[in-house]
């Protein structure tokens, strides 16, 4: 039985005792508040049964506590006029209840007291003032003093005070972010015709079509956002910095990354002008109510193209179906805004010629939007997030082995060897089958077969939660806080995996490591692969200082209608066109780096080590352990260092005594911080500060494997503890 249940049981008092105590307290307040009872009342209480006596003592404490609170409230309450007092008294009289409505008790409590079947009242720990809230606050504060979440050096994460991790560390539990996307319209459509899919392939969106619908884990996305840093565009994990790169979006989603930036004229147009553009490129004129500013309702677009394409459709009709389908992919998945039901019509200007559409860098544009959304979501007051969140989730599943679910793939979908790094023990090896399945071969034309999907398609299967729970923010946060080196796959795309990918996923791989700006109309975000060299198999050194541009994060389309973003961002467009001149290179990494590597020493001083609040031990639900493990690791490290210093201090017993004092102080403080100080032996006594040193020249007895017998001199220097 928990502490709360014990306290309630011990605080049960008879109904009659509560009534008698109330009469005594109302007639003689001072006597009710005293430590002892006098006169016949005391004798009556002495002769009463044990439960009644205990109940009277509890009622006495409770009545004194309530009366003091009421007197303090009256003293602090401002004076009221006579009319207000009269109305309040009248209202109070009208509110009197009979004994049945008030549970049969006449007490001073502001809320009706609870009662059991045997007529005993129940008090909570909060009502009695014996709860463990104060103890928890003391443990929380002590843990904050002992465990430093970081950063120690604010030269890199200079916006730490504005990050949501600071709010969480201070004890405020922020809810999960709402992930905004709209794929319902896509799911209601018929499967696109092969003629449409070939045009989608030419335009560069075939990979995102093959991904299909994968449920987003809002809690996983939120846990990753808590470690995303605006200052570096990287996730600050316990094992080092990591981020989503151009390589990830090409391999996982199959979007083209090599090409001109997705930008241009964002001219302000009237509703009739947008209707004309839709009629020319999409073949229908949407109603005025379906257009809001420069956005079109996707439900109207989906309803127009819900029917299958006619078999005798000409090329113009097929192009219109392809444009509509790509527009739904853009608004529902890639560039989803927070409206969840509209798509920006400014993208239509790039869909007129589908061959030219495929020459644009849609991958860098999608990555820029994801960076921008993640940066904005790091604010404590953010409640939702948009953008290509499926890329964020797939990236985490590919690299973070301890928080990803197990895939359960049907046997008939296995057409190639298993991926080497994904062979769970409890799941059949079929769960390791890659992304190739029979579906693509069944719908392919014999003369012109469609290619297979990108790597992200292998997650479009059933998931198993046997080993890893999902949709629990506290679990994800705790697992990331205590992450180990062997739980991070720095290079999931090995040669065997890349050999199975279609050519459109490998196009532009020579610029995967470019240090360049990513552009999508008003959005400009920097790509820094030099901070995550291990993701490319290179040795990570201390990276050079980076500037993500605070003014860039404040630039968006709001209030900038009619802006030509190609001209406004001319300097960044020029840098992107020179992207192959800024390729990052480095030395090959042959073995994992350890904690004492110069990079890790620097990184641990500038990073945010923990996200979860210190010593967070809630009464129900998942129990986080990251901060406790961190405190224990630090304490044990200090203990070992203190013992080593004593061993290197010579034969002077003072060093040994000081080491024992330090070890015991560290241990007791650590136990107190995690609320386990009751485990200390009650026989322990403080070690005196002034001790008589051993005679000069005498050495300590040689330690043996078994417990040694201590001489009289040694016993005086080491009191039993």
């Amino acid at each position: 039985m928990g502490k709360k249940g014990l306290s309630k049981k011990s605080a049960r008092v008879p109904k009659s005792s509560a009534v008698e105590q109330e009469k005594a307290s109302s007639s003689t307040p001072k006597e009710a508040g005293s430590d002892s009872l006098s006169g016949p009342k005391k004798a009556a209480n002495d002769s009463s049964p044990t439960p009644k006596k205990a109940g009277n003592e509890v009622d006495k404490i409770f009545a004194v506590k309530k009366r003091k609170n009421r007197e303090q409230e009256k003293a602090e309450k401002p004076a009221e006029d006579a009319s207000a007092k009269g109305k309040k008294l009248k209202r109070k009289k009208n509110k009197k209840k009979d004994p049945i409505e008030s549970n049969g008790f006449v007490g001073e409590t502001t809320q009706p007291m609870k009662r059991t079947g045997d007529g005993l009242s129940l008090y909570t720990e909060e009502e009695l003032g014996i709860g463990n809230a104060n103890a928890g606050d003391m443990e929380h504060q002590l843990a904050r003093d002992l465990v430093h979440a970081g950063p120690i050096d604010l030269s890199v994460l200079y916006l730490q005070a504005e990050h949501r991790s600071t709010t969480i560390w201070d004890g405020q539990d922020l809810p999960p972010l709402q992930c905004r996307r709209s794929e319902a319209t896509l799911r209601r459509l018929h499967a696109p015709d092969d003629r449409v899919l070939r045009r989608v392939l030419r335009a560069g969106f075939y990979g995102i079509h093959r991904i299909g619908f994968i449920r987003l884990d809002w809690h996983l996305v939120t846990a990753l956002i808590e470690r995303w840093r605006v200052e570096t565009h990287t996730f600050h994990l316990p094992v080092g910095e990591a981020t989503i790169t151009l390589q990830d979006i090409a391999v996982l989603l199959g979007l083209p990354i090599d090409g001109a930036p997705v930008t241009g004229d964002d001219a302000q147009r009237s509703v009739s002008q947008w209707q004309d553009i839709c009629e020319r490129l999409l073949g229908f004129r949407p109603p005025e109510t379906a257009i809001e500013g420069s956005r079109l309702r996707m439900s109207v677009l989906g309803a127009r193209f819900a029917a299958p394409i006619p078999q005798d459709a000409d090329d113009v009709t097929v192009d219109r179906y392809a444009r509509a389908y790509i527009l739904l992919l853009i608004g529902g998945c890639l560039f989803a805004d927070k409206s969840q039901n509209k798509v920006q019509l400014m993208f239509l200007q790039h869909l007129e010629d589908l061959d030219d559409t495929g020459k644009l860098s849609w991958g860098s544009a999608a990555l820029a939007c994801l960076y921008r959304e993640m940066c904005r979501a790091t604010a404590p007051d953010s409640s939702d997030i948009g953008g290509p969140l499926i890329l964020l989730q797939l990236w985490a599943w590919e690299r973070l082995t301890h928080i990803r679910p197990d895939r359960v793939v049907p046997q008939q979908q296995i057409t190639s060897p298993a991926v080497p790094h994904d062979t769970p023990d409890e799941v059949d090896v079929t769960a390791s089958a890659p992304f190739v399945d029979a579906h693509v071969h069944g719908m392919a034309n014999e003369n012109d077969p469609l290619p297979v999907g990108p790597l992200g398609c292998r997650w479009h299967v059933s998931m198993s939660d046997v080993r890893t729970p999902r949709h629990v923010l506290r679990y994800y946060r705790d697992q990331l806080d205590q992450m180990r080196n062997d739980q991070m796959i720095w290079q999931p795309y090995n040669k065997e995996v890349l050999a199975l990918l279609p050519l459109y996923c490998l196009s532009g791989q020579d610029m995967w490591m470019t240090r360049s700006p990513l552009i999508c109309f008003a959005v400009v975000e920097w790509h820094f692969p030099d901070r995550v060299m291990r993701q490319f198999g290179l040795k990570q050194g201390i990276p050079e200082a980076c500037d993500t541009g605070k003014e860039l994060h404040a630039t968006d389309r709001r209030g900038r209608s009619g802006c030509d973003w190609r001209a406004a961002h001319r300097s960044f467009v020029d840098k992107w066109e020179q992207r192959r001149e800024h390729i990052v290179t480095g030395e090959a990494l042959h073995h994992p780096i350890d904690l004492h590597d110069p990079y890790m020493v620097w990184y641990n001083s500038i990073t945010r080590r923990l996200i979860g609040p210190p010593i967070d031990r809630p009464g129900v639900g998942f129990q986080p352990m990251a901060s406790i493990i961190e405190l224990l690791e630090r304490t044990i490290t200090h203990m070992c260092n203190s013992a080593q210093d004593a061993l290197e201090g010579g034969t002077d017993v003072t060093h040994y005594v000081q080491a024992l004092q330090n070890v015991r102080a560290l241990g007791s403080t650590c136990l107190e911080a995690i609320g386990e100080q009751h485990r200390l032996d009650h026989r322990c006594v403080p070690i005196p500060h002034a001790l008589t040193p051993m005679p000069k020249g005498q050495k300590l007895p040689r330690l043996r494997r078994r417990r040694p017998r201590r001489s009289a001199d040694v016993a005086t220097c080491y009191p039993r503890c």
Side-chain angles (χ1 to χ4, degrees), residues 78-102:
E80 297 176 336
D81 55 347
S83 60
K85 289 183 179 180
K87 292 180 180 179
K88 183 176 287 188
L89 290 175
K90 186 176 180 180
R91 194 183 304 114
K92 188 175 181 180
K93 290 181 180 180
N94 295 335
K95 283 188 175 181
K96 285 187 176 180
K97 299 181 180 180
D98 53 28
I100 297 178
E101 293 177 349
S102 60

PDB file of all heavy atoms in Angstrom, residues 78-102:
ATOM      1  N   PRO A  78      -9.008  42.721   2.203  1.00  0.00           N
ATOM      2  CA  PRO A  78      -9.331  44.144   2.322  1.00  0.00           C
ATOM      3  C   PRO A  78     -10.701  44.346   2.941  1.00  0.00           C
ATOM      4  O   PRO A  78     -11.575  43.487   2.898  1.00  0.00           O
ATOM      5  CB  PRO A  78      -9.283  44.641   0.871  1.00  0.00           C
ATOM      6  CG  PRO A  78      -9.516  43.427   0.050  1.00  0.00           C
ATOM      7  CD  PRO A  78      -8.908  42.294   0.813  1.00  0.00           C
ATOM      8  N   ALA A  79     -10.872  45.492   3.527  1.00  0.00           N
ATOM      9  CA  ALA A  79     -12.130  45.819   4.203  1.00  0.00           C
ATOM     10  C   ALA A  79     -13.257  45.933   3.189  1.00  0.00           C
ATOM     11  O   ALA A  79     -13.096  46.467   2.100  1.00  0.00           O
ATOM     12  CB  ALA A  79     -11.982  47.133   4.980  1.00  0.00           C
ATOM     13  N   GLU A  80     -14.449  45.419   3.581  1.00  0.00           N
ATOM     14  CA  GLU A  80     -15.596  45.477   2.714  1.00  0.00           C
ATOM     15  C   GLU A  80     -16.635  46.423   3.301  1.00  0.00           C
ATOM     16  O   GLU A  80     -16.700  46.638   4.520  1.00  0.00           O
ATOM     17  CB  GLU A  80     -16.206  44.078   2.555  1.00  0.00           C
ATOM     18  CG  GLU A  80     -15.250  43.090   1.894  1.00  0.00           C
ATOM     19  CD  GLU A  80     -15.851  41.710   1.833  1.00  0.00           C
ATOM     20  OE1 GLU A  80     -16.737  41.442   2.663  1.00  0.00           O
ATOM     21  OE2 GLU A  80     -15.439  40.930   0.977  1.00  0.00           O
ATOM     22  N   ASP A  81     -17.465  46.940   2.452  1.00  0.00           N
ATOM     23  CA  ASP A  81     -18.503  47.840   2.938  1.00  0.00           C
ATOM     24  C   ASP A  81     -19.610  47.035   3.604  1.00  0.00           C
ATOM     25  O   ASP A  81     -19.703  45.824   3.485  1.00  0.00           O
ATOM     26  CB  ASP A  81     -19.062  48.681   1.789  1.00  0.00           C
ATOM     27  CG  ASP A  81     -19.555  47.816   0.651  1.00  0.00           C
ATOM     28  OD1 ASP A  81     -19.224  46.603   0.669  1.00  0.00           O
ATOM     29  OD2 ASP A  81     -20.253  48.344  -0.239  1.00  0.00           O
ATOM     30  N   ALA A  82     -20.488  47.732   4.303  1.00  0.00           N
ATOM     31  CA  ALA A  82     -21.523  47.069   5.081  1.00  0.00           C
ATOM     32  C   ALA A  82     -22.507  46.329   4.202  1.00  0.00           C
ATOM     33  O   ALA A  82     -22.974  45.236   4.534  1.00  0.00           O
ATOM     34  CB  ALA A  82     -22.262  48.112   5.938  1.00  0.00           C
ATOM     35  N   SER A  83     -22.828  46.903   3.048  1.00  0.00           N
ATOM     36  CA  SER A  83     -23.791  46.252   2.161  1.00  0.00           C
ATOM     37  C   SER A  83     -23.250  44.940   1.631  1.00  0.00           C
ATOM     38  O   SER A  83     -23.961  43.940   1.547  1.00  0.00           O
ATOM     39  CB  SER A  83     -24.130  47.189   1.003  1.00  0.00           C
ATOM     40  OG  SER A  83     -22.951  47.495   0.265  1.00  0.00           O
ATOM     41  N   ALA A  84     -21.971  44.948   1.275  1.00  0.00           N
ATOM     42  CA  ALA A  84     -21.370  43.712   0.772  1.00  0.00           C
ATOM     43  C   ALA A  84     -21.343  42.641   1.843  1.00  0.00           C
ATOM     44  O   ALA A  84     -21.587  41.465   1.583  1.00  0.00           O
ATOM     45  CB  ALA A  84     -19.969  43.994   0.255  1.00  0.00           C
ATOM     46  N   LYS A  85     -21.024  43.055   3.087  1.00  0.00           N
ATOM     47  CA  LYS A  85     -21.010  42.082   4.181  1.00  0.00           C
ATOM     48  C   LYS A  85     -22.398  41.516   4.432  1.00  0.00           C
ATOM     49  O   LYS A  85     -22.577  40.327   4.695  1.00  0.00           O
ATOM     50  CB  LYS A  85     -20.467  42.733   5.442  1.00  0.00           C
ATOM     51  CG  LYS A  85     -18.977  43.015   5.393  1.00  0.00           C
ATOM     52  CD  LYS A  85     -18.495  43.588   6.714  1.00  0.00           C
ATOM     53  CE  LYS A  85     -16.994  43.848   6.674  1.00  0.00           C
ATOM     54  NZ  LYS A  85     -16.497  44.404   7.959  1.00  0.00           N
ATOM     55  N   GLY A  86     -23.421  42.377   4.339  1.00  0.00           N
ATOM     56  CA  GLY A  86     -24.777  41.900   4.554  1.00  0.00           C
ATOM     57  C   GLY A  86     -25.203  40.897   3.503  1.00  0.00           C
ATOM     58  O   GLY A  86     -25.823  39.873   3.804  1.00  0.00           O
ATOM     59  N   LYS A  87     -24.852  41.181   2.246  1.00  0.00           N
ATOM     60  CA  LYS A  87     -25.194  40.242   1.175  1.00  0.00           C
ATOM     61  C   LYS A  87     -24.470  38.915   1.352  1.00  0.00           C
ATOM     62  O   LYS A  87     -25.016  37.851   1.114  1.00  0.00           O
ATOM     63  CB  LYS A  87     -24.841  40.850  -0.173  1.00  0.00           C
ATOM     64  CG  LYS A  87     -25.710  42.040  -0.548  1.00  0.00           C
ATOM     65  CD  LYS A  87     -25.295  42.586  -1.907  1.00  0.00           C
ATOM     66  CE  LYS A  87     -26.155  43.783  -2.285  1.00  0.00           C
ATOM     67  NZ  LYS A  87     -25.753  44.356  -3.603  1.00  0.00           N
ATOM     68  N   LYS A  88     -23.217  38.991   1.797  1.00  0.00           N
ATOM     69  CA  LYS A  88     -22.454  37.759   1.982  1.00  0.00           C
ATOM     70  C   LYS A  88     -23.035  36.905   3.104  1.00  0.00           C
ATOM     71  O   LYS A  88     -23.134  35.688   2.995  1.00  0.00           O
ATOM     72  CB  LYS A  88     -20.999  38.101   2.264  1.00  0.00           C
ATOM     73  CG  LYS A  88     -20.110  36.869   2.408  1.00  0.00           C
ATOM     74  CD  LYS A  88     -18.675  37.245   2.595  1.00  0.00           C
ATOM     75  CE  LYS A  88     -18.092  37.754   1.295  1.00  0.00           C
ATOM     76  NZ  LYS A  88     -16.641  37.943   1.398  1.00  0.00           N
ATOM     77  N   LEU A  89     -23.445  37.557   4.215  1.00  0.00           N
ATOM     78  CA  LEU A  89     -24.045  36.810   5.320  1.00  0.00           C
ATOM     79  C   LEU A  89     -25.358  36.169   4.898  1.00  0.00           C
ATOM     80  O   LEU A  89     -25.658  35.032   5.247  1.00  0.00           O
ATOM     81  CB  LEU A  89     -24.262  37.739   6.514  1.00  0.00           C
ATOM     82  CG  LEU A  89     -22.988  38.219   7.228  1.00  0.00           C
ATOM     83  CD1 LEU A  89     -23.345  39.221   8.312  1.00  0.00           C
ATOM     84  CD2 LEU A  89     -22.256  37.035   7.839  1.00  0.00           C
ATOM     85  N   LYS A  90     -26.145  36.933   4.139  1.00  0.00           N
ATOM     86  CA  LYS A  90     -27.415  36.395   3.661  1.00  0.00           C
ATOM     87  C   LYS A  90     -27.192  35.214   2.736  1.00  0.00           C
ATOM     88  O   LYS A  90     -27.890  34.199   2.814  1.00  0.00           O
ATOM     89  CB  LYS A  90     -28.192  37.494   2.937  1.00  0.00           C
ATOM     90  CG  LYS A  90     -29.590  37.063   2.529  1.00  0.00           C
ATOM     91  CD  LYS A  90     -30.330  38.239   1.897  1.00  0.00           C
ATOM     92  CE  LYS A  90     -31.744  37.822   1.486  1.00  0.00           C
ATOM     93  NZ  LYS A  90     -32.479  38.949   0.873  1.00  0.00           N
ATOM     94  N   ARG A  91     -26.195  35.325   1.853  1.00  0.00           N
ATOM     95  CA  ARG A  91     -25.875  34.234   0.943  1.00  0.00           C
ATOM     96  C   ARG A  91     -25.377  33.016   1.708  1.00  0.00           C
ATOM     97  O   ARG A  91     -25.656  31.881   1.364  1.00  0.00           O
ATOM     98  CB  ARG A  91     -24.823  34.695  -0.053  1.00  0.00           C
ATOM     99  CG  ARG A  91     -24.665  33.761  -1.245  1.00  0.00           C
ATOM    100  CD  ARG A  91     -23.556  34.218  -2.173  1.00  0.00           C
ATOM    101  NE  ARG A  91     -23.774  35.581  -2.634  1.00  0.00           N
ATOM    102  CZ  ARG A  91     -22.986  36.602  -2.309  1.00  0.00           C
ATOM    103  NH1 ARG A  91     -21.937  36.391  -1.522  1.00  0.00           N
ATOM    104  NH2 ARG A  91     -23.238  37.818  -2.767  1.00  0.00           N
ATOM    105  N   LYS A  92     -24.650  33.267   2.781  1.00  0.00           N
ATOM    106  CA  LYS A  92     -24.117  32.174   3.590  1.00  0.00           C
ATOM    107  C   LYS A  92     -25.229  31.418   4.302  1.00  0.00           C
ATOM    108  O   LYS A  92     -25.211  30.194   4.418  1.00  0.00           O
ATOM    109  CB  LYS A  92     -23.108  32.723   4.590  1.00  0.00           C
ATOM    110  CG  LYS A  92     -22.355  31.648   5.355  1.00  0.00           C
ATOM    111  CD  LYS A  92     -21.303  32.279   6.219  1.00  0.00           C
ATOM    112  CE  LYS A  92     -20.520  31.202   6.972  1.00  0.00           C
ATOM    113  NZ  LYS A  92     -19.487  31.787   7.839  1.00  0.00           N
ATOM    114  N   LYS A  93     -26.219  32.144   4.769  1.00  0.00           N
ATOM    115  CA  LYS A  93     -27.338  31.484   5.435  1.00  0.00           C
ATOM    116  C   LYS A  93     -28.140  30.633   4.453  1.00  0.00           C
ATOM    117  O   LYS A  93     -28.605  29.549   4.780  1.00  0.00           O
ATOM    118  CB  LYS A  93     -28.240  32.533   6.082  1.00  0.00           C
ATOM    119  CG  LYS A  93     -27.603  33.213   7.286  1.00  0.00           C
ATOM    120  CD  LYS A  93     -28.555  34.227   7.887  1.00  0.00           C
ATOM    121  CE  LYS A  93     -27.932  34.918   9.107  1.00  0.00           C
ATOM    122  NZ  LYS A  93     -28.851  35.914   9.699  1.00  0.00           N
ATOM    123  N   ASN A  94     -28.321  31.163   3.252  1.00  0.00           N
ATOM    124  CA  ASN A  94     -29.086  30.418   2.252  1.00  0.00           C
ATOM    125  C   ASN A  94     -28.368  29.162   1.802  1.00  0.00           C
ATOM    126  O   ASN A  94     -28.990  28.247   1.273  1.00  0.00           O
ATOM    127  CB  ASN A  94     -29.374  31.308   1.040  1.00  0.00           C
ATOM    128  CG  ASN A  94     -30.287  32.468   1.402  1.00  0.00           C
ATOM    129  OD1 ASN A  94     -31.053  32.384   2.355  1.00  0.00           O
ATOM    130  ND2 ASN A  94     -30.192  33.548   0.635  1.00  0.00           N
ATOM    131  N   LYS A  95     -27.061  29.140   1.955  1.00  0.00           N
ATOM    132  CA  LYS A  95     -26.280  27.996   1.484  1.00  0.00           C
ATOM    133  C   LYS A  95     -26.130  26.890   2.526  1.00  0.00           C
ATOM    134  O   LYS A  95     -25.417  25.937   2.295  1.00  0.00           O
ATOM    135  CB  LYS A  95     -24.889  28.446   1.044  1.00  0.00           C
ATOM    136  CG  LYS A  95     -24.890  29.129  -0.307  1.00  0.00           C
ATOM    137  CD  LYS A  95     -23.484  29.366  -0.771  1.00  0.00           C
ATOM    138  CE  LYS A  95     -23.474  29.945  -2.171  1.00  0.00           C
ATOM    139  NZ  LYS A  95     -22.112  30.171  -2.662  1.00  0.00           N
ATOM    140  N   LYS A  96     -26.738  27.046   3.719  1.00  0.00           N
ATOM    141  CA  LYS A  96     -26.622  26.007   4.743  1.00  0.00           C
ATOM    142  C   LYS A  96     -27.291  24.726   4.275  1.00  0.00           C
ATOM    143  O   LYS A  96     -28.403  24.753   3.754  1.00  0.00           O
ATOM    144  CB  LYS A  96     -27.263  26.483   6.043  1.00  0.00           C
ATOM    145  CG  LYS A  96     -26.406  27.497   6.788  1.00  0.00           C
ATOM    146  CD  LYS A  96     -26.993  27.823   8.135  1.00  0.00           C
ATOM    147  CE  LYS A  96     -26.082  28.769   8.913  1.00  0.00           C
ATOM    148  NZ  LYS A  96     -26.633  29.098  10.235  1.00  0.00           N
ATOM    149  N   LYS A  97     -26.640  23.646   4.458  1.00  0.00           N
ATOM    150  CA  LYS A  97     -27.149  22.357   4.013  1.00  0.00           C
ATOM    151  C   LYS A  97     -27.531  21.501   5.216  1.00  0.00           C
ATOM    152  O   LYS A  97     -27.019  21.700   6.320  1.00  0.00           O
ATOM    153  CB  LYS A  97     -26.096  21.623   3.167  1.00  0.00           C
ATOM    154  CG  LYS A  97     -25.706  22.365   1.907  1.00  0.00           C
ATOM    155  CD  LYS A  97     -24.701  21.562   1.143  1.00  0.00           C
ATOM    156  CE  LYS A  97     -24.294  22.291  -0.131  1.00  0.00           C
ATOM    157  NZ  LYS A  97     -23.307  21.519  -0.895  1.00  0.00           N
ATOM    158  N   ASP A  98     -28.393  20.538   4.966  1.00  0.00           N
ATOM    159  CA  ASP A  98     -28.752  19.617   6.031  1.00  0.00           C
ATOM    160  C   ASP A  98     -27.626  18.613   6.217  1.00  0.00           C
ATOM    161  O   ASP A  98     -26.737  18.507   5.384  1.00  0.00           O
ATOM    162  CB  ASP A  98     -30.062  18.896   5.700  1.00  0.00           C
ATOM    163  CG  ASP A  98     -30.019  18.230   4.338  1.00  0.00           C
ATOM    164  OD1 ASP A  98     -28.914  17.855   3.906  1.00  0.00           O
ATOM    165  OD2 ASP A  98     -31.073  18.089   3.741  1.00  0.00           O
ATOM    166  N   PRO A  99     -27.651  17.844   7.304  1.00  0.00           N
ATOM    167  CA  PRO A  99     -26.554  16.908   7.552  1.00  0.00           C
ATOM    168  C   PRO A  99     -26.357  15.887   6.448  1.00  0.00           C
ATOM    169  O   PRO A  99     -25.255  15.448   6.191  1.00  0.00           O
ATOM    170  CB  PRO A  99     -26.963  16.233   8.874  1.00  0.00           C
ATOM    171  CG  PRO A  99     -27.866  17.218   9.535  1.00  0.00           C
ATOM    172  CD  PRO A  99     -28.598  17.909   8.425  1.00  0.00           C
ATOM    173  N   ILE A 100     -27.422  15.514   5.752  1.00  0.00           N
ATOM    174  CA  ILE A 100     -27.263  14.508   4.711  1.00  0.00           C
ATOM    175  C   ILE A 100     -26.495  15.084   3.534  1.00  0.00           C
ATOM    176  O   ILE A 100     -25.608  14.462   2.979  1.00  0.00           O
ATOM    177  CB  ILE A 100     -28.648  13.996   4.268  1.00  0.00           C
ATOM    178  CG1 ILE A 100     -29.351  13.319   5.435  1.00  0.00           C
ATOM    179  CG2 ILE A 100     -28.530  13.047   3.096  1.00  0.00           C
ATOM    180  CD1 ILE A 100     -30.739  12.829   5.119  1.00  0.00           C
ATOM    181  N   GLU A 101     -26.816  16.358   3.132  1.00  0.00           N
ATOM    182  CA  GLU A 101     -26.144  16.959   1.995  1.00  0.00           C
ATOM    183  C   GLU A 101     -24.681  17.229   2.281  1.00  0.00           C
ATOM    184  O   GLU A 101     -23.848  17.234   1.391  1.00  0.00           O
ATOM    185  CB  GLU A 101     -26.836  18.261   1.597  1.00  0.00           C
ATOM    186  CG  GLU A 101     -28.243  18.025   1.045  1.00  0.00           C
ATOM    187  CD  GLU A 101     -28.923  19.327   0.720  1.00  0.00           C
ATOM    188  OE1 GLU A 101     -28.375  20.370   1.121  1.00  0.00           O
ATOM    189  OE2 GLU A 101     -29.986  19.316   0.086  1.00  0.00           O
ATOM    190  N   SER A 102     -24.355  17.481   3.546  1.00  0.00           N
ATOM    191  CA  SER A 102     -22.964  17.757   3.903  1.00  0.00           C
ATOM    192  C   SER A 102     -22.261  16.528   4.442  1.00  0.00           C
ATOM    193  O   SER A 102     -21.355  16.625   5.248  1.00  0.00           O
ATOM    194  CB  SER A 102     -22.904  18.882   4.943  1.00  0.00           C
ATOM    195  OG  SER A 102     -23.612  18.486   6.111  1.00  0.00           O
TER     196      SER A 102
END
